Amino acid sequence: MGKSSKDKRDAYYRLAKEEGWRARSAYKLLQIDEQFNLFEGVTRVVDLCAAPGSWSQVLSRVLIKGETFGRAGWEEKQKEARNYVLGMKDEKSQATEEKKQIEPRKPREGVRIVSIDLQPMSPLEGVTTLRADITHPSTIPLLLKALDPDTYDPSSTSPSAPVDLVISDGAPDVTGLHDLDIYVQSQLLWAALNLALCVLKPGGKFVAKIFRGKDVDLLFAQLKIVFDRVRVAKPRSSRASSIEAFVVCEGFHPPEGFKASLDVPLGAGIDLPQIEKEAVDADKKPSSKQREDGAIELELPSEDDEGGPEGGSRWIAPFLACGDLSAYDSDATYQLPKDRVSLDPVQPPTMPPYKKALEMRKLAGGAYGKTRGQENTSA
Ligand code: SAM
């Protein structure tokens, strides 16, 4: 698909270039914030699987620069852009009215943003970037040091000041085999959660990408054990045809005695073996019990005012579409003005995995390599 054709078919791809975002994913985080007021009271954040960095850009622009998006800024701009593209001029007044009701944001004090990815990331104002694997235990000390460079104590397993929010947009290279993709994605989610458990403060928030597979309800129920509220968000900028969605978990409440660690990570089961035995008290902790083998088993919540009971212990997380209805529809194709120039991406990939393949193809003489008669038979 050429750039111009992609501009037509993917309004958020085009808009991201126009508004200076490194990736269209920026709109997913902005729309989640619009729905959940995600950044309220937030100053310390960890962005996992962050490259090329559009979520980190959102953090930098909202927390450090105090820019206002959402209804007060971005949506209005978006409506104007949409009117321009579709030739409709009648939707502007509503956005202006909404602007009056929303407090503009201000730069915040004491902001700390740490972003991690396997891929290198171009620098961003106020963001510390780490090139590391979120599934590996060695990433924890790196993260702790990046969070508190002046007070870091190598013997400590938690930050001196825990963080308010952990976000993860992690995605493996998709194979197209749904079950495999869902499995690998869930492993990445567990890695992100384990890391979040190490650094989040009580009451903190965790947002992560999920693929909605058939066992996703179990995951929601498991998250409900350590968070007060678990909801599923589908931003308008995420294609309806995609199984992608985001869990938005608020009100982190670690079980008493729980010590998070990437050496003994919490996995896709329901055990938290690292909870100390003496902390298990049926009265204090009605959601956990000790099994015969000594491991701690957490009982899944069976009922909740927001979700609901269904078939015994099944707990259904509320599902929310986010992003104003006037926002672009990511599945629609929009008509573009004839004189429109297609822009280049804001930040080309620094080290894309396909770079080596392109070099090899070039060395082999182009897309189809050498012709039959020229084939190298020495190997
Ligand atoms: N949120 C990003 C943004 O807004 O620019 C986009 C993230 S992209 C969809 C997914 C990222 O996950 C990729 O950059 C990939 O390198 C990263 N990733 C996948 N597995 C990872 C791992 N084990 N550790 C760290 N990053 C990982």
Side-chain angles (χ1 to χ4, degrees):
M1 190 172 14
K3 254 195 300 177
S4 187
S5 160
K6 199 166 173 193
D7 277 354
K8 251 195 231 173
R9 290 191 206 183
D10 189 341
Y12 288 97
Y13 168 78
R14 182 183 69 243
L15 204 60
K17 293 187 293 177
E18 283 169 6
E19 297 191 339
W21 301 111
R22 291 182 179 184
R24 68 191 293 294
S25 333
Y27 297 105
K28 298 177 191 170
L29 188 61
L30 287 169
Q31 288 171 347
I32 292 173
D33 169 51
E34 200 181 301
Q35 182 71 42
F36 296 93
N37 204 5
L38 193 65
F39 302 131
E40 190 184 23
V42 165
T43 51
R44 289 170 66 83
V45 194
V46 176
D47 181 8
L48 301 173
C49 301
S54 76
W55 280 24
S56 295
Q57 273 186 297
V58 171
L59 295 172
S60 169
R61 288 174 68 173
V62 169
L63 307 183
I64 296 176
K65 296 186 187 150
E67 284 185 46
T68 309
F69 297 97
R71 290 192 179 89
W74 166 67
E75 253 178 39
E76 186 185 10
K77 210 170 165 200
Q78 202 187 37
K79 268 182 191 157
E80 276 171 22
R82 184 170 180 263
N83 292 343
Y84 164 66
V85 170
L86 297 177
M88 300 180 331
K89 300 278 178 205
D90 51 357
E91 289 185 33
K92 225 171 158 182
S93 51
Q94 198 193 342
T96 317
E97 259 173 39
E98 281 166 356
K99 186 175 182 176
K100 281 183 211 145
Q101 296 162 12
I102 293 207
E103 278 285 299
R105 284 179 161 138
K106 295 188 191 93
R108 302 181 191 188
E109 299 278 315
V111 172
R112 186 103 213 130
I113 304 166
V114 179
S115 302
I116 305 181
D117 202 285
L118 282 174
Q119 305 289 334
M121 238 173 92
S122 296
L124 275 172
E125 187 185 332
V127 179
T128 305
T129 52
L130 299 176
R131 192 170 173 197
D133 181 349
I134 67 158
T135 65
H136 202 279
S138 62
T139 301
I140 282 284
L142 291 177
L143 173 59
L144 296 179
K145 193 171 178 189
L147 280 169
D148 301 302
D150 301 331
T151 54
Y152 173 64
D153 168 7
S155 63
S156 171
T157 51
S158 53
S160 49
V163 309
D164 306 299
L165 170 68
V166 176
I167 54 179
S168 172
D169 191 22
D173 288 338
V174 176
T175 64
L177 301 170
H178 267 209
D179 286 349
L180 181 64
D181 291 339
I182 288 167
Y183 173 76
V184 180
Q185 174 65 29
S186 73
Q187 294 307 305
L188 217 47
L189 179 117
W190 280 106
L193 177 65
N194 277 298
L195 239 148
L197 295 176
C198 295
V199 296
L200 264 187
K201 73 174 189 193
K205 303 174 200 178
F206 173 65
V207 173
K209 170 147 65 198
I210 53 161
F211 285 170
R212 286 168 297 152
K214 61 180 181 332
D215 291 329
V216 78
D217 290 348
L218 179 62
L219 167 74
F220 300 149
Q222 288 167 321
L223 289 167
K224 192 75 173 63
I225 295 166
V226 280
F227 291 96
D228 290 335
R229 272 180 312 288
V230 175
R231 289 176 281 183
V232 188
K234 180 74 178 174
R236 255 177 97 73
S237 48
S238 170
R239 289 180 189 280
S241 50
S242 149
I243 56 170
E244 168 192 90
F246 295 85
V247 273
V248 180
C249 309
E250 293 164 287
F252 175 53
H253 57 85
E256 205 177 311
F258 172 67
K259 283 197 185 72
S261 145
L262 285 201
D263 293 317
V264 196
L266 187 63
I270 52 170
D271 296 346
L272 284 181
Q274 57 275 60
I275 295 181
E276 289 154 17
K277 278 188 187 175
E278 59 271 24
V280 184
D281 174 335
D283 291 326
K284 277 193 249 161
K285 298 165 56 50
S287 63
S288 65
K289 65 178 185 206
Q290 193 170 1
R291 286 195 328 214
E292 275 177 12
D293 62 5
I296 303 304
E297 190 168 280
L298 293 176
E299 285 173 1
L300 305 179
S302 57
E303 203 167 319
D304 186 84
D305 10 353
E306 286 180 331
E310 195 188 279
S313 65
R314 194 164 170 225
W315 181 80
I316 315 281
F319 186 95
L320 285 135
C322 34
D324 188 272
L325 278 180
S326 63
Y328 281 116
D329 176 351
S330 51
D331 288 284
T333 296
Y334 291 90
Q335 185 196 342
L336 298 172
K338 283 200 182 67
D339 54 351
R340 198 182 163 281
V341 182
S342 183
L343 301 171
D344 284 329
V346 172
Q347 177 67 56
T350 40
M351 202 190 283
Y354 51 81
K355 195 173 166 192
K356 196 167 173 201
L358 288 178
E359 281 165 8
M360 287 168 70
R361 194 165 79 175
K362 207 170 160 191
L363 278 176
Y368 301 103
K370 295 173 181 168
T371 56
R372 269 186 171 264
Q374 295 172 299
E375 262 167 11
N376 185 346
T377 50
S378 60

